[in-house]
Amino acid sequence: MFQKNQKGVSLVLIIVFVAILTIFGLTILQWSALQIKASNQAQEKELSFQIAEAGIEYYRWHLAHDNDDYQDGTGNSGPYIHDYKDINGNILGQFSLEIDPPPSGSTMVTIKSTGYSNSNPNLKRKIISLVGIPSYAEYSFLINNNTWFGDTEHVKGKLHSNGGIRLDGTCDSIISSAKETYICTPVHGCNNEEKPGVWGIGGPQTFWKFPVPLVDFNIITTDLSKIKTDAQDQGVYFSSSGSYGYHLYFKSNGTFDVYKVTGLASPYWYKTTYSGYVKGSVDIGTKTFLQNYTIPSNGLIFVEDTVWVEGIIEGRVTLGVGSFPENSATYKSAIINGNLVYNNKDGSDTIGIIAQKDIVIPKFSPDVLEINGVLLAQYGATQSYYYHPAGSSVKNQITTYGSVISNQIWTWSWVNGNNTISGYRNTYTTYDSNLIYAPPPYFPKKNEFEVLSWDEE
């Protein structure tokens, strides 16, 4: 009897033990199945993410080949669906693209890419990326020659020169030169001495970088003939005045008055940083009112003559100045006749002045002068001339908000020792960050879109 009870107990224990093992084994199998499922799902999610990312890269490539195509080459609205293939050409899934074109005046494009695999098309990942092409107005100064910033000159924003830089003033961003060394000449206070690409008593010197790659001014040189043609078609165009040129006075209501300059001020001696003395005048003597114009919708104004400009900018404007066919003997200049300022400094108002020859500050400019805008002297220089005799035209302060681009030697002031003998004693330059991705119309840009932001929705 006792043995039978022991056998029964043993059988029960075996049954219980087998049941526990079975339950435990089933639990492990279920857990393993869940793990495999989770692992597969993670792989599918990762694949969907990679497919969505491929969509972003594809459209960046597309924009690099056609900067202004926001319809994937179809001419129709999206979404635009593409297969995603492996290295052997097998289709693994698709990405679906939505493209938001840039706001007016901007280069910033929003790309939305949704990726999904063929094996699990309901498991989708979406990436949103903002890309943009920076303009050459990303510099506060971009100069194709040697340059000198004196101890009363203050630069806010990037400064680059393809020549050497003598920096005795202050800066708050990268100061770069394409030269490892260069010959500093008397025009910059030296005796034809070899100097480092960037040198001087200014700073901070931690921002100095040289040598760096050359910036190709052939790329920066804008096709003025294109601006002329489009200004004739849909903008505002002025042919030769038959006199000395035109005076454009911009108003805060989005219009500008146009005058014909009929006479210049009494002649005086002056010279540039790249040429000798001449006797003449770059100041208005007499003028005749012609008409009031509204800034055109495409923002283009072209003057095939010398032009004087000043006033308050309301809107987005590019002023092209030149004569055709192009001949260095007849290149035209723009002259900043007085304060040229924005109605708003929030990026909605901007002006770019692109001149074949020089962009000039005249002798009888204001004692305190402010210039807002992008100034591009394609073959000449952006500068105040040296007005003779010494000391006859010394002013207090010039402030620029925007960008100065000069092919030849730039300067707002001429000095002898520590004394300013022509131009402005104090110069302040502040970079306008709105210009990087929203430059004035037709202003030269770089070739490649940069990623500005990247997020998963």
Side-chain angles (χ1 to χ4, degrees):
M1 193 72 179
F2 180 75
Q3 281 184 333
K4 286 182 180 179
N5 285 340
Q6 276 213 334
K7 288 181 179 179
V9 170
S10 298
L11 182 60
V12 170
L13 288 173
I14 290 170
I15 291 171
V16 170
F17 184 70
V18 169
I20 292 172
L21 286 177
T22 301
I23 293 170
F24 184 69
L26 289 172
T27 302
I28 290 176
L29 288 173
Q30 288 177 335
W31 180 82
S32 298
L34 288 173
Q35 287 296 103
I36 292 170
K37 183 178 180 180
S39 177
N40 289 338
Q41 190 172 46
Q43 290 180 3
E44 293 289 347
K45 284 183 69 176
E46 178 61 25
L47 178 58
S48 295
F49 180 82
Q50 291 176 5
I51 294 172
E53 196 170 35
I56 298 292
E57 293 306 310
Y58 158 75
Y59 214 79
R60 284 186 64 203
W61 172 86
H62 182 84
L63 287 171
H65 292 81
D66 191 343
N67 291 173
D68 301 318
D69 180 20
Y70 314 117
Q71 296 181 319
D72 199 20
T74 68
N76 300 313
S77 57
Y80 312 103
I81 299 174
H82 292 263
D83 290 333
Y84 177 81
K85 301 177 182 179
D86 66 13
I87 193 171
N88 297 315
N90 301 312
I91 299 174
L92 302 181
Q94 287 78 37
F95 53 80
S96 176
L97 296 172
E98 301 169 70
I99 311 300
D100 293 339
S104 177
S106 173
T107 67
M108 293 187 288
V109 180
T110 301
I111 306 171
K112 302 173 185 177
S113 177
T114 302
Y116 49 92
S117 67
N118 286 344
S119 56
N120 194 346
N122 293 321
L123 187 58
K124 299 180 178 181
R125 303 282 291 273
K126 186 175 184 178
I127 297 173
I128 300 176
S129 181
L130 181 66
V131 300
I133 299 181
S135 75
Y136 283 99
E138 68 173 322
Y139 299 92
S140 58
F141 284 94
L142 181 56
I143 301 168
N144 197 31
N145 216 305
N146 300 334
T147 190
W148 179 15
F149 288 80
D151 57 6
T152 61
E153 295 178 310
H154 312 277
V155 181
K156 294 183 178 180
K158 292 196 297 183
L159 158 64
H160 174 82
S161 174
N162 285 337
I165 300 172
R166 176 177 178 177
L167 184 74
D168 294 331
T170 61
C171 63
D172 71 352
S173 190
I174 299 300
I175 307 296
S176 61
S177 167
K179 300 285 189 181
E180 184 169 1
T181 63
Y182 77 108
I183 302 302
C184 181
T185 61
V187 73
H188 287 156
C190 303
N191 188 25
N192 296 315
E193 306 160 60
E194 185 177 41
K195 295 290 185 180
V198 184
W199 69 285
I201 62 172
Q205 296 186 14
T206 52
F207 290 143
W208 296 3
K209 296 186 181 301
F210 63 95
V212 300
L214 192 83
V215 175
D216 187 354
F217 261 67
N218 291 321
I219 296 174
I220 296 173
T221 301
T222 300
D223 187 354
L224 278 172
S225 63
K226 171 65 173 172
I227 296 177
K228 173 186 172 180
T229 298
D230 289 358
Q232 288 173 317
D233 289 344
Q234 298 180 348
V236 178
Y237 167 75
F238 300 97
S239 61
S240 174
S241 66
S243 189
Y244 293 96
Y246 297 93
H247 177 204
L248 276 54
Y249 192 97
F250 287 90
K251 298 183 173 183
S252 60
N253 62 359
T255 70
F256 59 101
D257 290 338
V258 179
Y259 301 82
K260 178 189 285 190
V261 177
T262 56
L264 299 178
S266 299
Y268 41 77
W269 288 99
Y270 67 89
K271 67 176 179 178
T272 74
T273 54
Y274 60 89
S275 65
Y277 281 106
V278 297
K279 190 169 187 179
S281 175
V282 294
D283 287 273
I284 296 174
T286 58
K287 60 185 182 179
T288 302
F289 177 75
L290 297 179
Q291 188 177 334
N292 176 265
Y293 291 83
T294 299
I295 293 173
S297 58
N298 67 358
L300 297 182
I301 303 170
F302 193 87
V303 179
E304 202 152 359
D305 208 333
T306 301
V307 63
W308 287 258
V309 59
E310 61 185 304
I312 301 172
I313 302 299
E314 171 66 31
R316 301 180 60 79
V317 184
T318 290
L319 172 61
V321 185
S323 64
F324 297 94
E326 284 198 322
N327 183 327
S328 59
T330 58
Y331 284 161
K332 300 301 180 184
S333 297
I335 300 163
I336 310 298
N337 199 59
N339 290 319
L340 183 66
V341 298
Y342 297 153
N343 208 20
N344 302 284
K345 290 184 178 178
D346 58 3
S348 60
D349 301 329
T350 185
I351 184 170
I353 301 177
I354 305 174
Q356 270 179 333
K357 191 177 180 183
D358 297 334
I359 297 179
V360 184
I361 306 298
K363 180 175 182 178
F364 301 115
S365 60
D367 188 56
V368 176
L369 178 63
E370 181 176 356
I371 303 172
N372 300 166
V374 186
L375 310 180
L376 169 53
Q378 288 198 330
Y379 305 115
T382 301
Q383 63 180 251
S384 174
Y385 293 158
Y386 173 73
Y387 299 109
H388 189 72
S392 63
S393 182
V394 176
K395 307 296 171 60
N396 182 23
Q397 177 178 304
I398 182 171
T399 302
T400 56
Y401 176 73
S403 185
V404 174
I405 303 176
S406 183
N407 197 313
Q408 301 290 338
I409 298 175
W410 160 87
T411 190
W412 295 143
S413 57
W414 298 70
V415 300
N416 183 6
N418 293 322
N419 298 316
T420 301
I421 56 176
S422 187
Y424 286 85
R425 294 188 186 91
N426 301 288
T427 69
Y428 299 88
T429 301
T430 300
Y431 171 64
D432 179 5
S433 61
N434 297 303
L435 297 172
I436 302 179
Y437 300 104
Y442 286 55
F443 197 80
K445 302 184 292 290
K446 296 185 177 180
N447 295 325
E448 187 174 342
F449 278 84
E450 297 179 351
V451 176
L452 309 180
S453 67
W454 187 99
D455 292 295
E456 184 177 6
E457 188 176 83

